[in-house]
Every structure is written in structure tokens, then in C-alpha cells.
Amino acid sequence: MLTEKELKEYCAGARENYLAHISIDCVVFGFHEGLMKVLLLEVKDEGEWYLPGGFLLKKEPIEMAANRILKERTGLDEIFLQQFHVFGDPDRSKQHFDMYKDMIAPEENWFTNRFLTIGYYALVDFCETNPAPDQFAAKCSWRDLNDLPELKLDHALILKTALDTLRLQLNYQPIGYNLMPKEFTMPELQKLYETILDKKLDRRNFQRRMLGFSILTRSDQPRKGGAHKAPYLYSFDLENYKAALTEGFKGGW
Amino acid sequence: MLTEKELKEYCAGARENYLAHISIDCVVFGFHEGLMKVLLLEVKDEGEWYLPGGFLLKKEPIEMAANRILKERTGLDEIFLQQFHVFGDPDRSKQHFDMYKDMIAPEENWFTNRFLTIGYYALVDFCETNPAPDQFAAKCSWRDLNDLPELKLDHALILKTALDTLRLQLNYQPIGYNLMPKEFTMPELQKLYETILDKKLDRRNFQRRMLGFSILTRSDQPRKGGAHKAPYLYSFDLENYKAALTEGFKGGW
DNA sequence: CCAAAAGTGTTGGTAATACACCCATGC
DNA sequence: GCATGGGTGTATTACCAACACTTTTGG
């Protein structure tokens, strides 16, 4: 939590540098040990959580802002980002940053403005991230998707919408390149799909289908060391992967 | 084109009533005589065209603003609207309303601000619309999708993105309820799909597929009067239609 | 040698494609 | 009566889902 002086400086700086009424919120998905993770920030000691977000510099492209914000929270560059919706209910930010309301006059308080927030979802490699809190949070950390805390504002809605969009996207786009390490086994990739969809899939059919997309390259070396039979290692064929991203899978009509 | 006085009043009013930096642009699709139509506005005598759009009142929900704007342009209420993307390139509105630049100081000119525009697409019944221009246009009229004039700003990009989204949407959602009259024949509906997709479809397979969705009700009365065999009339089964809208067609995974 | 993980093969059903034939009507 | 538009049927194919067997490896 900021002191009164810090808050006033922040608000003055925000008004000078940021475009009014616009914010960006990011739903960052990661995948680790068979669980879907979401990156969240926690207000110190209050058990209040919210999505990584920020504002748009006056001359900054939107996507660049999202990248900047995520770079600050995760340390990562070149994240897979997808804009999915704008949330603009006039009341959505009513109780935002209520705790600061006695420190500053409402007309000076940046946060009492109405904000439309542009929702992005991001897919990142869990192991590569270095979560770092912003100035309003005590910590930034991964939370399990099926064990989420209560979220501030409409962030629960934003998260749910992101998840729905991601699940839909699965049907006509490859995903995984951004969530998996460079090399992985087919069962590991399957676990990712099962986790996102929250549903068990058939091993053999999954493999056939995946290979049918021709976006995977099988390595010569199987993964060794584990108990049981050594699985093959795969990596994404980036060229075909990107082609599939733009063209989509099932032609439909 | 506005006079200097009108412009100054407009800008003062806009600053007072509208949320800064946000605009809304709508791609309104209609369907008539076998052709896909888009509603456009033309600046008087200049051959410059642009999409119906407007601004967001300070306390207005986004969707309500889109509805309000479309009501003004088309006379229609309860239009099918779908938010599809936010366009926010910092340079996107650089040359917007250039012709007014000598009338008003830049800092007073509402239009020299940076705007992020929220793109909506709408599907409407062509025959029900009463196109009406806004205060910056001489006329508002339907144009053929395959014979479009040059558009101002990034409106060509917005239109293309809307069309791509619509085509994608076809794969997992029913459409047509908003584009067709109450009753229609199967070949008429097929023409709609063919027009949107810009592709010929097989008569029999189209029918089988459509009926398979169980969103159509066949009327007892065939359409009479035309030459040749009288085709059946269909209407949408609203209950199933809406269920299909939310649940989607092909389950995918 | 057995349990557990992983690789591969087969089959049946469903849905999409590509066809051909019949019916009604106006000219 | 024939051209045209429209309704319906069928065979072939491709894909998806369900299922079974074999192989490898550590304990």
C-alpha cells in the first residue's frame, strides 16, 4: 500500500503519462506439474487478489503496452498475447482502490475515473517466469486455476472470459508452443490439453490428431531416466505451427 | 461539413458528454438480392466514406452506446451486435477530420485526440433499415461488399477484421436470424451463406447440415407465386437458435 | 516377472462429400 | 415440353471415438 505522498505522485504521473479511461488487464496462463496456473497479484495482507494490469502510455500501441506490463510482471519478452474482449461496464471499477479514498480528493484520484479495460490473455512457459509485484501489491504469484481466491472488481469475469476464449481457440488453433518447454513428450502435451479443457482425453486419438496437424517434430532421442518405457521427445515445427495459427485447423465451410 | 461555430459547439459538447479517447465503430452487414451489403457514410461531395461510429457517454455501457449509435443510423432497435476487436494504433486517427484543422485550435479540437476504437459488427435485416447520416456525413447508404469505396482512417482494416470474424463465427454459431426476414426458403438461406463465404455450396449437403442443427422450423405453406416448383418456407426456432448461439455447434474436443 | 507408462493398430459409427433422380411451374 | 428451380436419396470417403495389444523399464 502506498503512502499519501506516493499516491499523489502516482496519480499526477499517471495523468501526465497515461491515456485516460483505458486500462489493460492480462490473464497469464501457465502450466506446471499437471496444473493450470494463473498469475495473480495480492494486495498486502488483505487477501485481495487481482490480475496483472496497467495503463496505456499516451502514444503507445495497445499490444506494446500489454507486452510492457507483462515484461514487468514476468520478466519475459515476446509473450504470446491475444486480445479477447473489452470490459467497460460503467460500474466495474466503483470500489477499486477504495482504501485510498481518504488520502486524496476524488477529482485528483486517478483511480476514481471510469476505466474500460482491454483484456489480453497470455500463454507463458511457467518455468521461465520471474513473478514480480507492482507498486500496489505485496506479491505476485501463480495460483492454481481450480483453486482461485476471490478477485477484485470484475476480474473473475475477465478471467472466466479468457478461459472460455482459450478453450474455443483450441478448436481451430494450435496452442502449446508458448506453454510447453522446447522439448516435451506426447503425454505431457496431452496433459496440457486435458488441463485446459478440464477433461480426460484418449491417449491414442490425441496422438493421432496432434500428429495429423503436422506441427510436431519427433526427436531421435527418447527421454531417458524416468521409470517405465522411455517416451519420444517432440518439439513444435515452428513454420507449420505459425501457418496453422493464421490459417486455422478445421476449414469448416 | 460543419461550420466553424457548429464545430466548436460540437467539440465543447463532446468533451462534456463523452468519455475521452474512446470511440466505437460498427460494421453493419445486410443482405439483399443475393449481395452482401455494408452500411457506410459519405462525407459530402468528397467521395470519402467511413463506418458508422460514435462516442461513449461518460456513464454509458459500451454495448448500449453501440446500440444507440446504430439506432441513429438505421432506425433499428435490438440489433445483433458482436464486439470483435479494439483498434488502438497511436497513428490511426492522424488524418481524421483534417479538413477542420484551420477552424479550431488543436487543443480544443476533439478529433485531434488519440482514440481507441471498439469494433462491433452488426447483422441486420436489410429491408427494415432506414439509413440516416450523422452530422459529418451527407448521406448514409448501403454499399456492396465486393464493390467498396476507399475508406477513411483504418476503417478498411476494421471492416476486413469484422468480415474475417464473421466467417469464423459461421463455423460454430448459427447466423441468419438477424439477416433474413422472418420466413425464407432454404435456397435463400444458402445464398446468404454463399455470399458471406464468397463460395458456392452444395444444395443438398447444405440443407442436410442446416436441418441437422435443428434450429429451423418448416412451415406448412410453401412459397407460391414464383416460377418453378414452390419451395418450403422456414423460420428459425428461436429457442434452439439461442441455445446454439451460446453453446456452439461443433463440440470440438 | 510384474506393474506402470508408452507406442502402435483395428474397427465401427457418424458426418461430410459428391453424385443423380424426381417434381412442379411458366413460357 | 422443356428449361429452371427445388425437393429428396445414395454411395463413397474421411474422420473421430472406442477399444486391445505389445514394448520397455525399474523395482
Side-chain angles (χ1 to χ4, degrees):
Chain A
M1 187 155 167
L2 303 185
T3 64
E4 183 171 333
K5 179 157 175 280
E6 284 168 343
L7 177 65
K8 284 186 174 167
E9 278 173 15
Y10 184 91
C11 287
R15 212 180 339 271
E16 185 173 334
N17 297 311
Y18 296 130
L19 213 59
H21 306 302
I22 310 279
S23 65
I24 290 173
D25 282 304
C26 301
V27 182
V28 185
F29 291 111
F31 179 66
H32 189 59
E33 293 179 346
L35 291 171
M36 206 66 195
K37 307 277 188 173
V38 185
L39 198 65
L40 293 178
L41 294 142
E42 186 181 22
V43 181
K44 185 170 185 176
D45 295 335
E46 304 189 34
E48 287 196 297
W49 296 77
Y50 60 96
L51 293 169
F55 303 104
L56 188 61
L57 294 170
K58 286 187 177 174
K59 300 204 168 173
E60 185 179 38
I62 312 179
E63 186 139 338
M64 198 178 291
N67 265 305
R68 172 176 54 77
I69 290 163
L70 285 188
K71 165 112 194 179
E72 287 167 9
R73 293 300 133 260
T74 66
L76 296 179
D77 260 327
E78 307 209 10
I79 286 176
F80 174 84
L81 271 172
Q82 186 92 21
Q83 182 195 303
F84 65 95
H85 200 76
V86 181
F87 300 84
D89 192 90
D91 300 322
R92 59 175 291 279
S93 45
K94 267 287 183 309
Q95 311 112 338
H96 198 16
F97 292 95
D98 248 11
M99 68 272 198
Y100 291 123
K101 69 175 185 297
D102 297 327
M103 283 193 188
I104 191 168
E107 65 275 12
E108 276 182 54
N109 188 347
W110 173 254
F111 300 105
T112 53
N113 287 312
R114 175 179 178 187
F115 282 98
L116 308 200
T117 199
I118 304 173
Y120 277 84
Y121 74 79
L123 307 178
V124 306
D125 185 343
F126 181 92
C127 297
E128 301 282 311
T129 52
N130 275 316
D134 63 21
Q135 55 268 72
F136 304 102
K139 68 177 180 195
C140 177
S141 54
W142 291 102
R143 298 280 314 223
D144 285 359
L145 184 59
N146 17 6
D147 178 32
L148 289 174
E150 251 193 58
L151 298 177
K152 296 188 73 162
L153 301 168
D154 55 354
H155 284 197
L157 172 65
I158 296 177
L159 204 162
K160 183 185 179 312
T161 309
L163 189 59
D164 288 345
T165 310
L166 177 61
R167 283 179 178 158
L168 200 63
Q169 218 103 0
L170 272 202
N171 287 321
Y172 53 91
Q173 279 195 357
I175 65 131
Y177 175 62
N178 320 277
L179 286 163
M180 302 294 288
K182 287 239 164 34
E183 296 205 303
F184 50 89
T185 68
M186 194 61 82
E188 283 165 1
L189 184 62
Q190 182 179 341
K191 197 89 183 76
L192 170 66
Y193 272 75
E194 289 183 338
T195 307
I196 294 180
L197 295 165
D198 197 22
K199 187 197 281 190
K200 278 254 162 289
L201 300 172
D202 183 274
R203 217 155 42 85
R204 300 149 278 211
N205 296 332
F206 177 81
Q207 181 149 142
R208 215 193 328 274
R209 190 158 165 177
M210 270 299 149
L211 293 176
F213 295 150
S214 17
I215 54 169
L216 292 177
T217 316
R218 190 161 97 175
S219 152
D220 300 329
Q221 301 301 320
R223 164 162 302 170
K224 293 171 188 170
H228 322 302
K229 181 165 183 173
Y232 289 108
L233 285 172
Y234 291 87
S235 56
F236 286 104
D237 176 329
L238 259 205
E239 196 172 328
N240 288 350
Y241 189 95
K242 285 185 177 166
L245 260 187
T246 40
E247 290 167 30
F249 279 150
K250 325 189 180 185
W253 294 85
Chain B
M1 185 156 167
L2 303 186
T3 64
E4 184 171 332
K5 178 156 175 283
E6 284 169 342
L7 178 65
K8 284 185 174 168
E9 278 173 16
Y10 184 90
C11 287
R15 211 180 340 270
E16 186 173 333
N17 297 311
Y18 296 130
L19 212 59
H21 305 302
I22 311 279
S23 65
I24 290 173
D25 282 303
C26 301
V27 182
V28 184
F29 291 110
F31 180 66
H32 189 58
E33 292 180 348
L35 291 171
M36 206 67 194
K37 306 277 189 174
V38 185
L39 197 66
L40 293 178
L41 293 142
E42 185 180 22
V43 181
K44 185 171 185 175
D45 295 334
E46 304 192 33
E48 287 196 298
W49 296 78
Y50 61 97
L51 293 169
F55 304 103
L56 187 60
L57 295 170
K58 286 186 176 175
K59 300 203 168 174
E60 185 179 37
I62 312 179
E63 186 139 339
M64 197 178 292
N67 265 303
R68 171 176 54 77
I69 291 164
L70 285 189
K71 166 113 193 177
E72 287 168 9
R73 292 300 133 261
T74 66
L76 296 179
D77 260 327
E78 308 209 8
I79 285 177
F80 175 84
L81 271 172
Q82 187 91 21
Q83 183 196 302
F84 65 94
H85 199 76
V86 181
F87 299 84
D89 192 272
D91 300 324
R92 61 175 290 278
S93 45
K94 268 287 185 305
Q95 311 111 339
H96 199 16
F97 291 96
D98 248 11
M99 67 272 197
Y100 290 124
K101 69 175 184 295
D102 297 327
M103 284 193 188
I104 190 166
E107 65 275 11
E108 276 182 52
N109 187 348
W110 173 255
F111 300 105
T112 53
N113 286 312
R114 175 180 177 185
F115 283 97
L116 308 200
T117 200
I118 304 174
Y120 277 84
Y121 73 80
L123 306 178
V124 305
D125 185 343
F126 181 92
C127 298
E128 300 282 311
T129 51
N130 275 316
D134 62 21
Q135 56 268 74
F136 304 103
K139 68 176 180 195
C140 176
S141 55
W142 290 103
R143 298 283 311 225
D144 285 359
L145 184 59
N146 20 12
D147 179 32
L148 289 174
E150 250 193 59
L151 297 177
K152 295 188 73 163
L153 301 169
D154 55 354
H155 284 197
L157 171 66
I158 296 177
L159 204 162
K160 183 186 178 311
T161 308
L163 189 59
D164 288 345
T165 310
L166 176 61
R167 283 179 178 158
L168 200 62
Q169 219 103 359
L170 272 202
N171 286 320
Y172 54 92
Q173 279 195 355
I175 65 132
Y177 175 63
N178 319 278
L179 286 164
M180 302 293 288
K182 287 238 164 31
E183 296 205 304
F184 50 88
T185 68
M186 195 60 81
E188 283 164 3
L189 184 62
Q190 181 178 343
K191 197 89 182 75
L192 170 66
Y193 273 75
E194 290 183 337
T195 307
I196 294 181
L197 295 165
D198 197 23
K199 187 197 277 190
K200 279 255 163 286
L201 300 173
D202 183 274
R203 222 153 42 87
R204 300 149 277 209
N205 297 331
F206 177 81
Q207 180 150 143
R208 215 195 324 274
R209 189 158 167 179
M210 269 300 148
L211 293 176
F213 296 150
S214 18
I215 54 169
L216 292 177
T217 317
R218 190 162 96 176
S219 153
D220 300 328
Q221 300 302 321
R223 164 162 303 169
K224 293 170 188 171
H228 322 301
K229 181 166 184 173
Y232 290 107
L233 285 173
Y234 291 88
S235 56
F236 286 103
D237 176 329
L238 259 205
E239 196 172 326
N240 288 350
Y241 189 95
K242 284 185 179 166
L245 259 188
T246 39
E247 289 167 29
F249 278 150
K250 325 189 180 185
W253 294 85

